Amino acid sequence: MWTDKIAPEQAISSEQALRGIALDAACQRFGDDWIGSIELGKLADFTVVDQKPLAIDPDALDKIETWLGGRKVMEKPAR
C-alpha cells in the first residue's frame, strides 16, 4: 500500500485523520458548535458506506458514495 512507503514515522492513525478533517477542523475555525460532528442542529457532509469506515482500504476511498451540502455528489459504483 502507498501509505507504507511515504514517511511512515510521520503517519497518523485513521481515527486521528478522521477527527482532523471533522471536529478538529471545525474547532480551528471556531465552528464546532454548528459543524464538525453529526449532532442535532449541526450541518453535516457525510459518506454512505457498506462497511466499517475505519476498515476501508484507503486505496478504495474513491468508490464510496459522498454527500455535500445535502446533495449527493458522487454515486457509489454499481456492483
Side-chain angles (χ1 to χ4, degrees):
M1 183 178 0
W2 64 269
T3 55
D4 297 335
K5 299 177 179 99
I6 302 173
E9 70 281 355
Q10 295 181 21
I12 60 173
S13 70
S14 296
E15 291 87 353
Q16 290 170 311
L18 285 174
R19 184 179 171 103
I21 64 169
L23 190 54
D24 290 348
C27 289
Q28 288 293 314
R29 60 177 293 184
F30 305 103
D32 52 314
D33 57 333
W34 61 281
I35 59 172
S37 60
I38 298 176
E39 296 178 52
L40 185 61
K42 288 188 172 185
L43 300 177
D45 299 327
F46 61 93
T47 58
V48 177
V49 295
D50 60 0
Q51 57 186 300
K52 293 180 181 179
L54 298 175
I56 295 172
D57 177 1
D59 294 326
L61 289 174
D62 63 339
K63 295 176 177 56
I64 57 177
E65 185 175 290
T66 304
W67 292 69
L68 179 63
R71 294 191 175 110
K72 191 184 298 185
V73 295
M74 192 172 96
E75 292 284 336
K76 183 175 179 182
R79 291 183 187 218

